[in-house]
Amino acid sequence: MSKIHVQCTINGEPTEFLCEARQSLLEVLREELGFTGTKEGCNDGNCGACSVTVDGVLVDSCLILAAEVQDKTVGTVEGLASAEGLHPLQQKFLEHASLQCGICTPGFLVASKALLDANPNPSQHEIRHWLAGNLCRCTGYDKIVRAVLDAAGTAE
Amino acid sequence: MRDFEYTAPSTLREAVKLLSEKGEAARVLAGGTDLIVQLRARRFQPERVVDVKNIPEVNELSVSPRKGLRIGAAVPCHRIYADEGVKEQFAGLTDASMIIGGIQIQGRASLGGNLCNASPSADSIPALIAYGAEAEVIGPDGKRKIAVEDFCTGPGSNALKPGEMLVAIRMPLPKNNSGGHYLRFIPRNEMDIAVVGAGAFVELGGRSKTRVFKSARIALAAVAPTPLLVAEAGASLEGQPVTEETIAAAAAIAQEAARPISDMRGPAEYRRHLVGVLTKRALIGAVKRANGEFVPNAVQSNGHPVYQLS
């Protein structure tokens, strides 16, 4: 079948690509466009390693077809840091040692940023609830939650 | 995943044409949180996928006094639980849409998809049944309505014929002194599938000290091949005073009606026990809301709601 031509915006940059209908956004981001910060974990919507935003809404990029992002705005972990330096969440993840193997980290960062965009001062409970769709098999979550609290300026 | 033809029509008419041409070989895509997993697992291998999200009617979420609540088939959970009108009038739907998957899933998954996927454990279906919701369907022969309790025909199968699609779910605006609640039991705090779920909607009459049930509807998840309306449990409450005893009697009827199986999520006997507990809690939550009391939405949380009649 012929390829589908998709135009969208990724991390603020107008982007176009060709994809097959069966390709997920995750696959196209990583394999066609080189955005390898977005990770593949379970590939069925349980682990959150592939978290991105589409029109500002947090989603699993493994559960969206690339063809669906026509005219949409996609945000990946590569869009977090600016020319001035790391995003505060990235900085706090480093300071709190909120990662070990790191494969879940981009998903946690994207999800945490979406949380802070929606709710700049979340409670610890709200953070844990929001991040329930992101799995980490190394840290036990505590350091991740601390980093997000700290980045939000609400650490007790 | 096998390749297929991706189509994204912008009108219902076009969508019905695209679906009808392929019959069983076409699938509707809304949020994709079930469909894309099923495509990958090769449970379905359609020749054509029809993405319906560019069609205005399936994205509409509106509450009006005359027409009631209309939830377009592709409206994702996050839009439903963020909607103040829904929260005020249909809090049981807010309960259900907040606990389907995690935040990422809620960003895409729709109640229309939850209904069409027809899982016995679907969280939104008992809540929809309790509110007396109808599915608005369109197909090659025009539009028709199906009561939500009749929509699911077995695990993973529904009443849609080839070429048909769900457009919206509609339900009347609840009258004064009524309330709904949905809750489920899961062994984790989040991200799990109901071991049992229970939804209730009640309309109360009488004075504040001597409340009676004018009507009640109770529906269950994960205890039968489809989500289950227990009409006789609701009927048992009609005209009865609101007491622990009448609520317990309705819960006992729900337990009798349940036909649970034993599986990895729990043995049948345990599920039957949960039906009793959750039906009582759903009714108590619904009564409290009907009385204008605050009942937290059913997020599994550390703020345990208190399920006691005061």
Side-chain angles (χ1 to χ4, degrees), chain A residues 1-2 4 20-24 43-48 51 57-65 67-69 72 107 111 125 128-135, chain B residues 1-6 29-34 36-37 39-40 47 49 51 53-54 78 81 98 102-108 188 190-191 299-303:
Chain A
M1 254 172 246
S2 62
I4 302 166
E20 290 174 23
R22 58 163 196 87
Q23 285 184 295
S24 66
N43 214 24
D44 67 4
N46 274 289
C47 79
S51 295
V57 177
L58 183 67
V59 300
D60 289 322
S61 60
C62 72
L63 290 188
I64 178 167
L65 300 176
E68 289 183 71
V69 302
K72 307 251 185 251
H125 179 71
R128 288 183 185 273
H129 174 67
W130 185 277
L131 296 178
N134 292 79
L135 299 184
Chain B
M1 201 191 299
R2 288 226 184 129
D3 208 16
F4 46 80
E5 179 197 3
Y6 171 83
L29 169 67
T33 55
D34 286 311
I36 293 173
V37 175
L39 294 178
R40 214 166 261 145
E47 290 168 25
V49 165
D51 181 353
K53 291 190 295 298
N54 290 339
H78 80 100
Y81 62 70
M98 286 178 91
I103 303 294
Q104 287 89 339
I105 298 299
Q106 292 158 11
R108 293 260 293 164
R188 303 194 212 168
E190 329 275 357
M191 291 284 288
V299 176
Q300 307 292 314
S301 69
N302 300 332

XYZ file of all heavy atoms in Angstrom, chain A residues 1-2 4 20-24 43-48 51 57-65 67-69 72 107 111 125 128-135, chain B residues 1-6 29-34 36-37 39-40 47 49 51 53-54 78 81 98 102-108 188 190-191 299-303:
604
model
N 0.843 -1.198 0.000
C 0.000 0.000 0.000
C 0.878 1.249 0.000
O 1.961 1.230 0.565
C -0.910 -0.013 1.218
C -2.338 -0.347 0.878
S -3.348 -0.577 2.341
C -3.728 -2.327 2.210
N 0.370 2.304 -0.626
C 1.206 3.500 -0.719
C 1.358 4.153 0.649
O 0.507 4.003 1.515
C 0.600 4.494 -1.718
O -0.666 4.896 -1.261
N 1.680 7.078 3.552
C 0.833 8.227 3.898
C 1.740 9.412 4.210
O 2.727 9.278 4.950
C -0.030 7.885 5.133
C -0.885 6.646 4.847
C -0.884 9.079 5.553
C -1.511 6.039 6.089
N 3.724 4.121 6.915
C 2.715 3.119 6.572
C 1.582 3.244 7.589
O 1.811 3.685 8.718
C 3.317 1.710 6.650
C 4.314 1.429 5.541
C 5.006 0.089 5.710
O 4.438 -0.796 6.384
O 6.124 -0.054 5.178
N 0.384 2.832 7.185
C -0.783 2.959 8.063
C -0.556 2.221 9.386
O -0.979 2.679 10.438
C -2.027 2.412 7.370
N 0.140 1.082 9.339
C 0.278 0.255 10.530
C 1.334 0.796 11.510
O 1.477 0.284 12.607
C 0.637 -1.180 10.148
C 1.909 -1.266 9.342
C 2.528 -2.633 9.265
N 3.892 -2.456 8.793
C 4.912 -2.216 9.595
N 4.754 -2.167 10.892
N 6.113 -2.004 9.088
N 2.098 1.811 11.102
C 3.182 2.283 11.974
C 2.659 3.163 13.104
O 1.867 4.081 12.875
C 4.222 3.066 11.162
C 5.119 2.168 10.326
C 6.185 2.966 9.612
O 5.870 3.793 8.747
N 7.432 2.740 9.963
N 3.141 2.888 14.316
C 2.760 3.724 15.449
C 3.571 5.017 15.414
O 4.624 5.103 14.765
C 3.017 2.987 16.760
O 4.407 2.787 16.929
N 5.053 -1.694 24.640
C 4.361 -1.571 23.352
C 2.876 -1.943 23.426
O 2.285 -2.318 22.431
C 5.064 -2.411 22.265
C 4.985 -1.744 20.893
O 4.832 -0.531 20.790
N 5.079 -2.540 19.848
N 2.282 -1.881 24.624
C 0.828 -2.050 24.667
C 0.126 -1.165 25.710
O -0.965 -1.494 26.175
C 0.409 -3.520 24.789
C 0.787 -4.135 26.113
O 1.302 -3.419 26.992
O 0.555 -5.347 26.280
N 0.750 -0.030 26.043
C 0.022 0.952 26.839
C 0.044 0.734 28.336
O -0.773 1.290 29.045
N 0.968 -0.078 28.825
C 1.051 -0.288 30.275
C 2.165 0.491 30.948
O 2.028 0.884 32.100
C 1.250 -1.775 30.591
C -0.068 -2.501 30.657
O -0.845 -2.316 31.580
N -0.340 -3.325 29.656
N 3.312 0.706 30.233
C 4.518 1.136 30.941
C 4.815 2.630 30.847
O 5.562 3.163 31.655
C 5.724 0.338 30.473
S 6.422 0.890 28.908
N 4.278 3.319 29.850
C 4.472 4.764 29.765
C 5.852 5.217 29.293
O 6.105 6.422 29.235
N 5.777 7.814 26.497
C 4.896 8.972 26.682
C 5.344 10.178 25.854
O 6.527 10.535 25.852
C 4.894 9.403 28.154
O 4.328 8.390 28.961
N -1.909 16.913 25.140
C -2.491 15.835 25.946
C -1.484 14.686 26.045
O -0.921 14.253 25.033
C -3.813 15.331 25.311
C -4.383 14.158 26.107
C -4.822 16.465 25.222
N -1.275 14.207 27.279
C -0.320 13.116 27.503
C -0.889 11.804 26.963
O -2.002 11.419 27.324
C -0.066 12.996 29.015
C 0.963 11.958 29.441
C 2.362 12.347 28.973
C 0.929 11.786 30.959
N -0.119 11.132 26.108
C -0.561 9.854 25.532
C 0.635 8.903 25.434
O 1.795 9.316 25.539
C -1.171 10.033 24.114
C -2.385 10.955 24.145
C -0.140 10.563 23.124
N 0.325 7.621 25.229
C 1.363 6.632 24.924
C 1.541 6.615 23.408
O 0.581 6.339 22.680
C 0.920 5.236 25.390
C 0.912 5.103 26.902
O 1.803 5.660 27.551
O 0.022 4.407 27.420
N 2.767 6.886 22.930
C 2.936 6.966 21.476
C 2.872 5.592 20.814
O 2.755 5.496 19.595
C 4.237 7.689 21.105
O 5.365 7.020 21.616
N 2.922 4.508 21.614
C 2.751 3.170 21.023
C 1.299 2.892 20.683
O 1.002 1.970 19.940
C 3.283 2.079 21.961
S 2.261 1.788 23.425
N 0.368 3.673 21.278
C -1.060 3.440 21.057
C -1.690 4.523 20.202
O -2.863 4.841 20.336
C -1.809 3.328 22.395
C -1.523 2.082 23.227
C -2.465 2.010 24.412
C -1.658 0.810 22.386
N -0.880 5.123 19.331
C -1.429 6.090 18.379
C -0.741 5.826 17.039
O 0.473 5.587 17.007
C -1.250 7.542 18.893
C -1.766 8.574 17.896
C 0.176 7.863 19.265
C -1.889 9.983 18.490
N -1.526 5.801 15.999
C -0.933 5.597 14.683
C -0.270 6.895 14.254
O -0.783 7.980 14.510
C -2.009 5.202 13.666
C -2.783 3.915 13.963
C -3.877 3.698 12.918
C -1.847 2.710 14.008
N -0.155 8.100 11.425
C -1.040 8.807 10.488
C -2.038 9.710 11.211
O -2.566 10.654 10.620
C -1.793 7.795 9.619
N -2.275 9.431 12.500
C -3.255 10.225 13.249
C -2.747 11.618 13.635
O -3.539 12.429 14.106
C -3.662 9.490 14.535
C -4.513 8.262 14.329
C -4.911 7.652 15.658
O -5.735 8.243 16.352
O -4.361 6.586 16.024
N -1.445 11.875 13.529
C -0.949 13.174 14.007
C -0.920 14.251 12.922
O -0.332 15.320 13.112
C 0.429 13.080 14.729
C 0.350 12.132 15.902
C 1.542 12.709 13.773
N -1.239 17.917 13.861
C -1.186 17.987 15.328
C 0.201 18.462 15.790
O 1.161 18.483 15.029
C -1.463 16.616 15.940
C -2.740 15.974 15.460
C -3.769 15.973 16.547
C -5.017 15.236 16.157
N -6.156 16.108 15.944
N 9.942 8.964 29.580
C 8.490 8.897 29.776
C 8.072 9.599 31.052
O 7.085 10.346 31.072
N 5.738 12.885 31.194
C 4.497 12.793 31.983
C 4.511 13.825 33.116
O 3.503 14.486 33.378
C 4.329 11.384 32.538
N 0.392 12.820 46.650
C -0.625 11.864 46.206
C -1.015 12.106 44.749
O -1.157 11.158 43.962
C -1.853 11.951 47.118
C -2.929 11.009 46.698
N -2.803 9.640 46.856
C -4.107 11.210 46.072
C -3.877 9.048 46.368
N -4.685 9.977 45.884
N 1.728 10.768 42.492
C 1.705 9.296 42.378
C 0.541 8.825 41.514
O 0.664 7.890 40.729
C 1.666 8.656 43.762
C 2.998 8.784 44.499
C 2.967 8.087 45.847
N 4.204 8.320 46.572
C 5.307 7.560 46.439
N 5.302 6.523 45.646
N 6.406 7.849 47.124
N -0.589 9.485 41.673
C -1.759 9.120 40.853
C -1.481 9.404 39.375
O -1.707 8.557 38.513
C -2.986 9.902 41.332
C -4.195 9.706 40.458
N -4.839 8.494 40.358
C -4.841 10.558 39.614
C -5.846 8.613 39.503
N -5.869 9.846 39.036
N -0.957 10.587 39.097
C -0.698 10.985 37.704
C 0.321 10.055 37.045
O 0.208 9.727 35.865
C -0.207 12.429 37.669
C -0.015 12.969 36.275
C 1.073 12.790 35.475
C -0.945 13.753 35.518
N 0.889 13.425 34.273
C -0.337 14.023 34.269
C -2.218 14.271 35.771
C -0.973 14.782 33.278
C -2.841 15.033 34.775
C -2.223 15.268 33.545
N 1.331 9.637 37.785
C 2.421 8.835 37.225
C 2.155 7.326 37.297
O 3.050 6.526 37.012
C 3.747 9.168 37.924
C 4.249 10.618 37.724
C 5.548 10.838 38.502
C 4.457 10.941 36.242
N 0.913 6.940 37.628
C 0.607 5.504 37.738
C 0.755 4.791 36.398
O 0.954 3.584 36.352
C -0.812 5.311 38.283
N 0.666 5.536 35.306
C 0.814 4.924 33.986
C 2.259 4.861 33.507
O 2.518 4.583 32.335
N 3.202 5.146 34.405
C 4.631 5.027 34.077
C 5.260 4.027 35.025
O 5.183 4.192 36.247
C 5.342 6.382 34.220
C 4.885 7.387 33.181
O 3.833 7.992 33.319
N 5.653 7.555 32.127
N 5.888 3.007 34.465
C 6.526 1.987 35.310
C 8.028 2.198 35.365
O 8.656 2.531 34.364
C 6.238 0.583 34.761
C 4.773 0.167 34.694
C 4.667 -1.284 34.218
C 4.082 0.334 36.027
N 2.179 -6.112 13.176
C 0.860 -5.677 12.715
C 0.833 -5.688 11.193
O 1.726 -5.165 10.549
C 0.630 -4.233 13.229
C -0.804 -3.811 13.277
S -1.016 -2.023 13.584
C -0.254 -1.766 15.174
N -0.217 -6.289 10.605
C -0.362 -6.250 9.149
C -0.747 -4.856 8.712
O -1.438 -4.156 9.423
C -1.493 -7.195 8.726
C -1.127 -8.630 8.853
C -1.549 -9.379 7.588
N -1.255 -10.792 7.790
C -2.140 -11.737 7.587
N -3.363 -11.440 7.192
N -1.801 -12.982 7.781
N -0.351 -4.487 7.510
C -0.718 -3.159 7.032
C -2.188 -3.158 6.604
O -2.786 -4.206 6.370
C 0.185 -2.703 5.887
C 0.292 -1.173 5.844
O -0.071 -0.528 6.848
O 0.717 -0.633 4.819
N -2.737 -1.985 6.573
C -4.152 -1.819 6.215
C -4.291 -0.443 5.596
O -3.341 0.340 5.588
C -5.040 -1.939 7.461
C -4.535 -1.150 8.641
C -4.757 0.214 8.736
C -3.788 -1.784 9.651
C -4.267 0.939 9.812
C -3.292 -1.059 10.723
C -3.531 0.301 10.807
N -5.493 -0.171 5.110
C -5.760 1.158 4.550
C -6.270 2.044 5.678
O -7.197 1.674 6.393
C -6.824 1.029 3.444
C -7.213 2.343 2.803
C -8.531 2.225 2.021
O -9.132 1.137 2.037
O -8.944 3.227 1.427
N -5.639 3.206 5.861
C -6.068 4.152 6.898
C -6.926 5.227 6.252
O -6.504 5.857 5.293
C -4.839 4.789 7.557
C -5.153 5.938 8.498
C -5.536 5.696 9.807
C -5.073 7.260 8.058
C -5.832 6.753 10.668
C -5.363 8.322 8.910
C -5.742 8.060 10.205
O -6.025 9.097 11.059
N -11.695 3.257 14.338
C -10.661 3.722 15.263
C -11.131 5.009 15.936
O -11.452 5.991 15.264
C -9.357 3.996 14.499
C -8.234 4.728 15.266
C -7.690 3.863 16.400
C -7.091 5.102 14.328
N -11.175 4.984 17.267
C -11.435 6.230 18.004
C -10.163 6.503 18.806
O -9.173 6.967 18.256
C -12.678 6.104 18.868
N -10.130 6.138 20.092
C -8.921 6.360 20.888
C -7.829 5.333 20.626
O -6.650 5.582 20.903
N -8.210 4.169 20.123
C -7.210 3.171 19.729
C -6.569 2.386 20.858
O -5.735 1.509 20.612
N -6.953 2.661 22.105
C -6.233 2.004 23.215
C -6.577 0.521 23.328
O -5.814 -0.234 23.920
C -6.520 2.709 24.555
O -7.936 2.766 24.760
C -5.950 4.114 24.563
N -7.702 0.111 22.779
C -7.976 -1.323 22.628
C -7.607 -1.780 21.225
O -6.916 -2.777 21.052
C -9.460 -1.637 22.884
C -9.828 -1.562 24.361
O -9.090 -2.165 25.178
O -10.823 -0.922 24.696
N -5.581 -0.751 18.783
C -4.191 -0.870 18.313
C -3.507 -2.072 18.976
O -2.735 -2.790 18.340
C -3.430 0.468 18.504
C -4.040 1.523 17.559
C -1.930 0.313 18.230
C -3.519 2.932 17.739
N -3.851 -2.326 20.237
C -3.308 -3.516 20.919
C -3.826 -4.782 20.226
O -3.077 -5.744 19.994
C -3.705 -3.510 22.417
C -3.253 -4.784 23.102
C -3.109 -2.287 23.114
N -4.837 -5.076 17.095
C -4.231 -5.204 15.759
C -2.840 -5.826 15.881
O -2.449 -6.697 15.111
C -4.118 -3.844 15.077
C -5.414 -3.113 14.709
C -5.097 -1.756 14.082
C -6.254 -3.945 13.758
N -2.113 -5.340 16.901
C -0.748 -5.831 17.100
C -0.771 -7.312 17.470
O 0.089 -8.088 17.051
C -0.103 -5.008 18.217
C 1.356 -4.777 18.026
C 1.844 -3.684 18.974
N 1.941 -2.398 18.320
C 1.689 -1.231 18.917
N 1.317 -1.179 20.192
N 1.821 -0.114 18.248
N -8.829 -4.909 6.663
C -8.260 -4.352 5.435
C -8.305 -2.821 5.493
O -7.530 -2.151 4.843
C -9.088 -4.821 4.225
C -8.921 -6.299 3.942
C -9.953 -6.809 2.934
O -10.467 -6.015 2.127
O -10.244 -8.019 2.997
N -9.035 0.626 8.222
C -9.324 1.217 9.527
C -9.934 2.596 9.273
O -9.384 3.377 8.494
C -8.042 1.311 10.382
C -8.238 2.243 11.573
C -7.617 -0.077 10.855
N -10.743 5.954 10.902
C -10.540 6.870 12.034
C -11.681 7.875 12.013
O -11.815 8.652 11.071
C -9.175 7.567 11.857
C -8.842 8.523 13.004
O -9.719 8.758 13.865
O -7.705 9.037 13.021
N -12.303 10.338 14.174
C -12.111 11.526 15.021
C -12.214 12.862 14.280
O -12.233 13.911 14.904
C -10.780 11.431 15.769
C -10.804 10.327 16.828
C -9.602 10.347 17.741
C -8.305 10.043 17.022
N -8.282 8.679 16.427
N -12.269 12.827 12.941
C -12.466 14.099 12.230
C -13.942 14.414 12.025
O -14.273 15.424 11.394
C -11.770 14.057 10.860
C -10.254 14.069 10.995
O -9.728 14.480 12.021
N -9.566 13.587 9.980
N -10.490 12.051 29.459
C -10.015 13.261 30.149
C -10.945 14.440 29.916
O -11.071 15.313 30.767
C -8.558 13.585 29.762
C -8.393 14.288 28.453
N -8.200 15.641 28.348
C -8.398 13.817 27.193
C -8.093 15.966 27.058
N -8.213 14.876 26.342
N -14.062 13.726 32.428
C -13.920 14.032 33.857
C -13.511 15.476 34.134
O -13.605 15.942 35.260
C -13.061 13.013 34.602
C -11.607 12.841 34.214
C -10.658 13.813 34.468
C -11.175 11.643 33.658
C -9.327 13.619 34.148
C -9.841 11.424 33.331
C -8.932 12.417 33.580
O -7.607 12.216 33.261
N -12.520 8.422 35.343
C -11.253 8.717 36.035
C -10.427 7.473 36.359
O -9.292 7.593 36.817
C -11.533 9.438 37.355
C -11.959 10.872 37.181
S -12.322 11.643 38.749
C -10.714 12.335 39.152
N -4.463 4.615 32.991
C -3.779 5.735 33.633
C -4.034 7.005 32.823
O -4.850 7.030 31.903
N -3.293 8.068 33.179
C -3.509 9.362 32.532
C -3.297 9.274 31.009
O -4.047 9.857 30.233
C -2.567 10.430 33.138
C -2.776 10.542 34.658
C -2.755 11.789 32.456
C -4.122 11.073 35.090
N -2.266 8.521 30.592
C -1.987 8.413 29.147
C -3.164 7.776 28.413
O -3.509 8.176 27.292
C -0.718 7.570 28.897
C 0.582 8.269 29.255
C 1.012 8.064 30.701
O 0.208 7.730 31.574
N 2.296 8.246 30.971
N -3.730 6.730 29.015
C -4.862 6.034 28.389
C -6.075 6.969 28.369
O -6.799 7.063 27.374
C -5.185 4.734 29.165
C -3.988 3.777 29.133
C -6.440 4.057 28.612
C -3.556 3.317 27.787
N -6.279 7.687 29.473
C -7.430 8.594 29.562
C -7.340 9.741 28.560
O -8.342 10.361 28.224
C -7.554 9.145 30.985
C -7.936 8.068 31.989
C -7.548 8.422 33.409
O -7.170 9.559 33.695
N -7.628 7.443 34.305
N -6.131 10.021 28.082
C -5.952 11.050 27.059
C -6.509 10.636 25.706
O -6.695 11.475 24.821
N -6.739 9.337 25.525
C -7.192 8.836 24.223
C -8.479 8.012 24.311
O -9.331 8.112 23.442
C -6.103 7.910 23.636
C -4.815 8.617 23.265
C -4.733 8.890 21.791
N -4.629 7.673 21.001
C -4.855 7.620 19.698
N -5.196 8.705 19.037
N -4.761 6.474 19.032
N -4.846 -3.263 43.321
C -3.860 -2.181 43.323
C -4.555 -0.849 43.585
O -5.762 -0.794 43.748
C -3.213 -2.067 41.947
C -2.543 -3.285 41.428
C -1.701 -2.796 40.264
N -1.558 -3.785 39.217
C -1.075 -3.503 38.010
N -0.728 -2.278 37.708
N -0.936 -4.428 37.116
N -4.168 1.793 41.265
C -4.469 2.352 39.947
C -4.211 1.285 38.893
O -3.697 0.228 39.199
C -3.518 3.524 39.596
C -3.022 4.351 40.730
C -3.976 5.441 41.100
O -5.002 5.557 40.402
O -3.737 6.152 42.084
N -4.481 1.665 37.621
C -4.042 0.879 36.466
C -4.384 -0.599 36.588
O -3.512 -1.461 36.518
C -2.518 1.011 36.305
C -2.047 2.368 35.873
S -2.320 2.672 34.127
C -1.089 1.618 33.370
N -11.819 7.634 42.519
C -10.403 7.353 42.317
C -9.972 6.482 43.490
O -10.312 6.781 44.636
C -9.584 8.650 42.342
C -8.104 8.337 42.221
C -10.019 9.557 41.229
N -9.283 5.401 43.203
C -8.786 4.582 44.295
C -7.726 5.422 44.978
O -6.717 5.737 44.393
C -8.160 3.290 43.766
C -9.067 2.520 42.848
C -10.252 1.948 43.568
O -10.123 1.367 44.626
N -11.431 2.142 43.003
N -7.976 5.816 46.188
C -7.080 6.802 46.764
C -6.912 6.576 48.249
O -7.583 5.757 48.846
C -7.628 8.205 46.536
O -8.782 8.377 47.316
N -6.013 7.344 48.815
C -5.818 7.254 50.258
C -6.924 7.978 50.998
O -7.101 7.796 52.190
C -4.462 7.829 50.639
C -3.355 7.066 49.963
O -3.518 5.887 49.675
N -2.243 7.712 49.688
N -7.663 8.821 50.291
C -8.791 9.491 50.926
C -10.004 8.589 50.865
O -10.939 8.870 50.151
